[in-house]
Amino acid sequence: MMILGLVRWMQPVHGYDVRRELLSWSADKWANVQPGSIYHALRKLTDEGLLRTVSVEQVGARPARTTYEVTAKGEEEFETLLRAQWWQLNETPDPFVAAFSFLPAMPRDEAAAALRNRANLIRAGIESMRASLDSDWVRNRKPVHVGWMFELWLARAEADMGWCLRIAERIESGVSYLPAGMERAEGWSGWQDGGPPCGEDAD
Amino acid sequence: MMILGLVRWMQPVHGYDVRRELLSWSADKWANVQPGSIYHALRKLTDEGLLRTVSVEQVGARPARTTYEVTAKGEEEFETLLRAQWWQLNETPDPFVAAFSFLPAMPRDEAAAALRNRANLIRAGIESMRASLDSDWVRNRKPVHVGWMFELWLARAEADMGWCLRIAERIESGVSYLPAGMERAEGWSGWQDGGPPCGEDAD
DNA sequence: AGCACTGTAGTCAAATTTGGCTATTACGCT
DNA sequence: AGCGTAATAGCCAAATTTGACTACAGTGCT
């Protein structure tokens, strides 16, 4: 829960503020926090004693606005959580990798086309990121580490793009998907390209 | 749901088989499927008419073993889902990036140390991946695209590692975190390194 | 034969996440 | 002044995910 971090950083705040800040970072992309989660998180953190409610204002007949701030215990917990993320390496799930593992279920030409398309999408992303990086907005109005995050995305994107192109070429070159050791040997009957495999337990 | 894909690929199967296969791919890492999710997913897919139960065997007094296979509708849906992932680019959430956005909350020396540590962890990962790639196991016993997935991880890991080292250096060099335009100007009072910010709404 | 372990198969309650919904005020336009 | 739209603030039911748990059958060891 990095909601806690945000509250710590903006306290005292109410839910809607947090939500706006998250959206403005388009953090629903790289954290997993959709608007709806926020209020739940705030309440849970309060129950756990990491946050404290400061006040509950009411303007007119609108929903009450609850303001939160971080307790000493919350402060401590945040440090712990933060360090956990900084010092640990944790692979995060990637749906494309999952999909790629089903490569043999795609016709060769479509697979190659999709990879090239992907490379193009990534290239477009790279360009707009480059533009942002050079823009006054990021260079002079934002803390420098925001730019550094862009650089990370850039580096990853370039790695991905290169890979897509390399793999597209290999697929087009028509190499067999079968394990090198067993060109047309046992058990791989279901591994034709594109066709629905009718196979057994492989491995 | 790429459970569907697996069932399609191994049909007819029962839940436990799917679970074993997923664990053997350590897919809990790069897909988001913990053992518990599987049975729920199977039932849901059956309700939606994408799967069909083939049989319910019972060996002794053990839990009944339900076997599934894919229906025509499931076949179709799988194609759709698969294509969605192949043709679309979707950023996936990364907890490290989230944590990195709180850089100013970390003491400089710790931040740099953590990044170097991270680089080392990644390097270790890279080496073991290289070893796998060269191993007979992957080279000759697995479909070639498994190796390609390793290459993707490798490329990303290398990008990450390089970035970590570059950023560590910059942090050590003592550059200010403040936006370049406003060395010690308005509103950034809470942006000292390490200290808990007592700031306002930034931006 | 008795016992501990591991593997098989799946269940379940609790935690989390989602994303659409309500209801009010402010603002801009004609 | 009237009206439509956007912003404010938060709620909630449903879907999903998690991780721990049950219960039985082989297997090996002493």
Side-chain angles (χ1 to χ4, degrees):
Chain A
M1 270 50 143
M2 305 266 105
I3 297 268
L4 180 56
L6 260 188
V7 174
R8 188 193 103 122
W9 185 75
M10 305 169 47
Q11 61 184 299
V13 274
H14 51 100
Y16 192 68
D17 263 355
V18 174
R19 169 184 183 164
R20 276 210 326 254
E21 190 69 14
L22 281 177
L23 286 187
S24 85
W25 292 14
S26 49
D28 43 340
K29 259 180 30 197
W30 46 269
N32 64 346
V33 187
Q34 255 64 28
S37 322
I38 296 172
Y39 300 96
H40 170 71
L42 288 176
R43 256 189 298 270
K44 214 202 59 177
L45 292 171
T46 306
D47 287 352
E48 288 173 356
L50 306 180
L51 295 184
R52 165 179 42 232
T53 84
V54 175
S55 68
V56 182
E57 295 152 51
Q58 180 114 19
V59 181
R62 268 185 293 183
R65 193 172 61 173
T66 312
T67 310
Y68 297 88
E69 69 184 11
V70 176
T71 65
K73 192 171 156 202
E75 198 65 57
E76 205 178 323
E77 179 67 9
F78 174 67
E79 308 266 308
T80 309
L81 288 177
L82 192 60
R83 263 140 192 100
Q85 296 303 344
W86 273 77
W87 289 94
Q88 272 169 201
L89 207 52
N90 38 13
E91 311 291 342
T92 79
D94 177 340
F96 171 71
V97 173
F100 184 79
S101 71
F102 291 114
L103 169 63
M106 297 272 287
R108 261 164 201 280
D109 52 350
E110 185 182 352
L115 284 176
R116 293 203 180 279
N117 172 252
R118 197 175 169 77
N120 283 333
L121 292 176
I122 295 175
R123 194 196 317 282
I126 288 178
E127 257 140 44
S128 86
M129 252 185 290
R130 278 245 165 70
S132 300
L133 253 177
D134 293 342
S135 74
D136 175 73
W137 168 243
V138 169
R139 298 249 326 263
N140 296 328
R141 308 258 99 136
K142 287 278 165 190
V144 292
H145 71 282
V146 172
W148 298 350
M149 289 169 61
F150 275 78
E151 284 180 44
L152 175 56
W153 280 317
L154 218 86
R156 287 179 179 172
E158 268 160 0
D160 267 42
M161 187 179 80
W163 179 86
C164 284
L165 295 176
R166 282 200 305 280
I167 300 302
E169 254 162 54
R170 288 191 210 162
I171 291 176
E172 282 159 356
S173 83
V175 298
S176 161
Y177 293 159
L178 298 177
M182 35 175 82
E183 283 305 79
R184 41 198 59 267
E186 66 264 58
W188 295 95
S189 46
W191 275 92
Q192 266 77 262
D193 323 8
C198 48
E200 308 306 299
D201 46 353
D203 178 308
Chain B
M1 269 55 139
M2 306 265 103
I3 297 269
L4 180 54
L6 259 187
V7 174
R8 188 193 103 119
W9 184 75
M10 302 168 50
Q11 63 185 301
V13 273
H14 50 100
Y16 192 68
D17 263 354
V18 174
R19 171 186 184 164
R20 276 210 325 253
E21 188 69 13
L22 281 176
L23 285 187
S24 86
W25 293 12
S26 49
D28 43 338
K29 258 178 36 196
W30 48 268
N32 63 348
V33 188
Q34 256 62 28
S37 323
I38 296 172
Y39 299 97
H40 169 69
L42 289 176
R43 256 187 299 268
K44 214 200 60 177
L45 292 171
T46 307
D47 287 352
E48 287 171 358
L50 307 180
L51 294 185
R52 163 181 45 233
T53 83
V54 176
S55 67
V56 182
E57 295 151 50
Q58 181 114 19
V59 180
R62 268 185 292 183
R65 193 172 62 172
T66 312
T67 309
Y68 298 88
E69 70 184 12
V70 176
T71 65
K73 193 170 157 201
E75 199 64 59
E76 205 178 322
E77 178 68 10
F78 174 67
E79 307 267 308
T80 309
L81 288 177
L82 191 60
R83 262 138 191 101
Q85 295 304 345
W86 272 78
W87 289 95
Q88 271 169 199
L89 205 54
N90 41 11
E91 311 289 344
T92 77
D94 177 341
F96 172 71
V97 172
F100 184 79
S101 71
F102 290 115
L103 169 63
M106 296 271 288
R108 260 165 201 280
D109 52 350
E110 186 183 351
L115 285 175
R116 293 204 181 278
N117 171 251
R118 199 175 168 75
N120 283 333
L121 291 177
I122 295 174
R123 192 195 318 279
I126 289 179
E127 258 141 44
S128 86
M129 254 184 289
R130 279 244 166 73
S132 299
L133 253 177
D134 293 341
S135 73
D136 174 76
W137 168 241
V138 171
R139 297 251 323 266
N140 296 328
R141 305 259 98 131
K142 287 278 163 189
V144 292
H145 72 281
V146 171
W148 298 350
M149 291 171 60
F150 275 79
E151 282 180 46
L152 176 56
W153 279 317
L154 218 86
R156 286 179 179 171
E158 266 160 2
D160 266 44
M161 187 178 80
W163 179 86
C164 283
L165 293 176
R166 282 200 306 280
I167 300 302
E169 253 162 52
R170 288 192 209 160
I171 290 175
E172 281 160 355
S173 83
V175 299
S176 163
Y177 293 158
L178 298 176
M182 35 173 83
E183 283 304 80
R184 40 202 56 267
E186 65 263 60
W188 297 95
S189 47
W191 276 92
Q192 267 76 263
D193 324 9
C198 47
E200 306 308 299
D201 45 352
D203 176 311

